Amino acid sequence: MHSPRLRLALLAFTQLIVALDYNIVYVALPGIGSALGFDASSVQWVVSVYAVGLGGLLLFGGRAVDRLGARRMFTTGLALYGLASLAGGLAPDAGTLIAARAVQGAGGALLTPATLALIYRGFPEGPERNRALGAWGMAGSAGLAAGSLLGGVLTASLGWEWVFFVNVPLALGCALAARTLLAADPPRSAGAFDIPGAVLASAGSALLVLGLAGGTEAGWASWRGAGALGAGVLLLAVLLVTESRTREPLIPLRLARGRSLALTMLLIAVFQATLNGAYYVLTSYLQPVRGYSALEAGLSFLPLTLVCMLAALKAAPPMLGRRGVRWTLSVSLLGAGAGIAVLVAGATAGGGFWTLLPRSFVWGFFGGVAFVAVFASAGVGVAAHEQGIASGLASSTKEVGGALGLAVFVAVATGPGAPLDGLRTAGWAIAVVTALGGLLALALPRPVPAVTPVAETSARLEGVSE
């Protein structure tokens, strides 16, 4: 059996791959749009279709982790992820790329809950898990930095296709390493998969994003978007009814109704929605507005994400240990909102990298802490045999919230008026929503302090004296 450090290194590196792919695409979006015929509003689907495919199937993936084994789903997800990346790089047209990204999302739907479940199960709740999540969060931040920078280098030197090709050896290499570094799965648990629930969740999520994207257009397209939005809401309502009557539900409503996990899911959705929106706004400001090349834009993200990495690894674990999830999450989201507001204030027609550089540190620090804190909150008090579905719930709200947030903030940013005015309006809205998430975090349950033997004895003596 290999040491916990080697296991954590593999899990963290896998998170780096996922973050690398997500953010490497942002920098390449202008090149992808020009090469494959996307317009300014439809190019977001290169990001959104992955998020919707991932978010819709994450609950199914989480249940598969609990039923079939975390290592098995981890390796299967990596293999599927790598093969879909290869297909994306070879895509000759927009439709093929969209299909490849959807399959990539399906691979991520197995990989993401498996990775989190392996962390939750392998590291006990408390300082040890906080440190593990800090390393995992740091790797995600490293992926943001490497994705933005590598995306610029690859797009400028080899072409946009290589932002997908780069994932292939990384994903397949991790799949092979998992066979050695991760312990074999225990015997499979009994129970059926909730196929109707998975179909309803996937279709409902996709229709919600389609409805928001269609709502930014005029005429018949706006009516079509409104219809899709209504159908998505209806399907998700049917999903909740179906799950309440299913013997082996995709979503155990008992778990989802818990105050801590339900609020955490909402906070994760808010965090990822504003994160995706902020990255879109900043990328659009640097490239179309300021005229930066893909490489220059990638380099501009590097200081921000380095600060985020250090905050996730060095600041988040001690803050969680000393002040708890509730306080840490509230302060970090309020700080991230303030950081985004400071960035927006510096995004002027005459501004640029050197204007934004010192302002980005506030967002980077608090964003890095918040990323660790939201996922630390998702694993609190969850039984080991339900860590897979808890991870799926947390991850699905992250991805669907991110897709919905991107659709909303792109609609705000690309509205009537000058491009810079739209981007600034979207940026201010993102800052406000993030700060509201920080206030909402105060509604999380307060931690129950452990009763030490000394305290327990003192309490008994006080009772006797009375």
Side-chain angles (χ1 to χ4, degrees), residues 128-342:
E128 200 172 336
R129 184 182 295 176
N130 292 339
R131 287 192 295 270
L133 286 170
W136 177 79
M138 184 205 68
S141 300
L144 302 183
S148 301
L149 177 59
L150 191 59
V153 171
L154 292 176
T155 301
S157 59
L158 299 174
W160 64 264
E161 298 90 344
W162 283 89
V163 303
F164 298 106
F165 289 151
V166 72
N167 290 324
V168 178
L170 298 178
L172 298 183
C174 284
L176 294 174
R179 305 291 298 178
T180 301
L181 296 179
L182 300 179
D185 293 317
R188 300 182 185 183
S189 61
F193 286 102
D194 182 12
I195 301 296
V199 172
L200 287 169
S202 302
S205 301
L207 286 168
L208 279 178
V209 178
L210 177 63
L212 287 170
T216 67
E217 301 170 344
W220 163 244
S222 66
W223 284 102
R224 184 177 57 192
L229 183 62
V233 172
L234 178 62
L235 285 180
L236 292 178
V238 172
L239 171 66
L240 293 178
V241 174
T242 302
E243 295 301 275
S244 67
R245 300 177 179 180
T246 302
R247 288 187 59 189
E248 299 287 346
L250 185 73
I251 308 172
L253 296 183
R254 165 190 52 78
L255 190 64
R257 287 192 192 108
R259 178 182 168 192
S260 179
L261 185 57
L263 269 175
T264 297
M265 289 165 59
L266 181 57
L267 291 170
I268 289 174
V270 168
F271 175 74
Q272 192 64 33
T274 55
L275 180 65
N276 282 15
Y279 265 92
Y280 173 84
V281 167
L282 189 53
T283 300
S284 298
Y285 170 71
L286 292 173
Q287 289 182 269
V289 174
R290 297 294 301 150
Y292 282 31
S293 68
L295 178 58
E296 290 171 331
L299 288 170
S300 298
F301 279 95
L302 185 58
L304 165 69
T305 47
L306 288 175
V307 172
C308 190
M309 287 170 57
L310 290 174
L313 183 65
K314 297 296 185 182
M319 288 173 71
L320 287 166
R322 293 171 188 167
R323 303 303 301 268
V325 169
R326 178 176 176 271
W327 182 89
T328 303
L329 192 48
S330 179
V331 168
S332 60
L333 286 174
L334 287 168
I340 293 169
V342 169

